[in-house]
Amino acid sequence: MIYRINEIFQTIQGEGVFTGSPSIFVRLQGCPVGCPWCDTQHTWDIDPAQQVSVERMLSKSTASAEWAELSAQAIVDCFQQQGYSAKHVVITGGEPAMVDWRPLAELLEARGYQLQIETSGTFALQVSAQTWVTLSPKLDMPGGYLVRADCMARANEIKHPVAMQKHIDALDALLAQYPPAANVVISLQPISQRPRATELAMQVCIERNWRLSVQLHKYLHIE
């Protein structure tokens, strides 16, 4: 299995259940979902002209559409070569569920890593049984993809971006259509830290005993 990787870096997880955890992020290149508020739109297209060496990809200091091809073993080797100490690995995008992460999961889990995947829920998941699945359902997006019932059933965490009441209503409809597992964690994440969105998310989280995800990394001004 060969993965198209936009970047690999070590930082603090700023969202969801694992907020505050030292983490290694592996960002995939390629996503057709088309979320208007996406802050990584440079990862959407897979342009052959933007393929670069692994060394150049790792040395990027600013966001770009450049990407490199790595095997599962090469990704693990990269962690060691970079001297990363974190044992929590976050697969993000782009849309990670477009490819099979089981080969990487097998290598990582054998070495004591915990794997988390962040997905829109619009593609069939190809992950290990131990992988923590964070599903951020993308509803009525320009790409036209639908959230899948099997993704909802597999999710460990549902992290929903909100700005207005209609986003809460859309999540309610999705939860009614595809009820998640009883122990799933549901969190609301204000889009772009807008005050009205944050106030709405806080109110609903308190009413329903859900969690608030505030994108801590943006407040800390880290990647």
Side-chain angles (χ1 to χ4, degrees):
M1 188 70 206
I2 299 297
Y3 304 98
R4 298 184 179 98
I5 305 300
N6 178 275
E7 59 180 336
I8 299 175
F9 58 95
Q10 183 172 243
T11 187
I12 296 292
Q13 170 63 289
E15 301 181 1
V17 168
F18 294 100
T19 294
S21 301
S23 303
I24 303 168
F25 276 73
V26 178
R27 188 180 302 283
L28 188 73
Q29 187 75 21
C31 180
V33 179
C35 305
W37 62 80
C38 178
D39 55 7
T40 58
Q41 293 189 18
H42 58 281
T43 67
W44 287 5
D45 298 323
I46 301 173
D47 183 354
Q50 294 286 351
Q51 183 175 357
V52 297
S53 68
V54 174
E55 292 74 20
R56 176 161 174 167
M57 181 272 293
L58 290 172
S59 66
K60 287 198 297 184
S61 58
T62 58
S64 77
E66 293 181 341
W67 56 273
E69 289 188 339
L70 287 87
S71 66
Q73 185 61 58
I75 292 173
V76 176
D77 292 343
C78 172
F79 295 171
Q80 298 173 343
Q81 293 163 4
Q82 296 295 107
Y84 294 152
S85 57
K87 287 295 185 178
H88 184 76
V89 178
V90 182
I91 308 298
T92 188
E95 174 46 67
M98 294 173 66
V99 296
D100 187 350
W101 292 101
R102 288 170 293 188
L104 179 62
E106 181 179 352
L107 291 175
L108 291 177
E109 289 164 5
R111 291 163 172 77
Y113 290 88
Q114 179 180 33
L115 189 63
Q116 175 187 5
I117 184 171
E118 298 182 340
T119 177
S120 65
T122 55
F123 291 85
L125 291 166
Q126 302 174 82
V127 297
S128 69
Q130 292 75 36
T131 298
W132 180 275
V133 175
T134 298
L135 194 161
S136 183
K138 301 304 190 292
L139 306 170
D140 299 322
M141 293 295 108
Y145 291 86
L146 299 177
V147 175
R148 298 170 56 103
D150 53 348
C151 291
M152 288 290 289
R154 175 61 180 82
N156 300 102
E157 172 185 13
I158 295 174
K159 177 167 59 68
H160 189 56
V162 297
M164 296 173 283
Q165 181 61 42
K166 69 176 184 179
H167 300 133
I168 305 294
D169 297 340
L171 176 60
D172 285 340
L174 180 66
L175 294 173
Q177 182 181 12
Y178 301 132
N183 60 346
V184 72
V185 178
I186 300 178
S187 60
L188 300 181
Q189 184 163 289
I191 295 174
S192 302
Q193 298 83 47
R194 296 172 184 169
R196 290 181 62 186
T198 301
E199 182 179 349
L200 173 63
M202 289 175 60
Q203 176 186 341
V204 175
C205 285
I206 292 171
E207 291 173 353
R208 304 190 185 189
N209 200 29
W210 289 351
R211 294 195 186 186
L212 180 70
S213 176
V214 295
Q215 293 188 294
L216 179 65
H217 55 290
K218 293 187 177 180
Y219 288 97
L220 297 177
H221 305 291
I222 60 175
E223 188 170 14

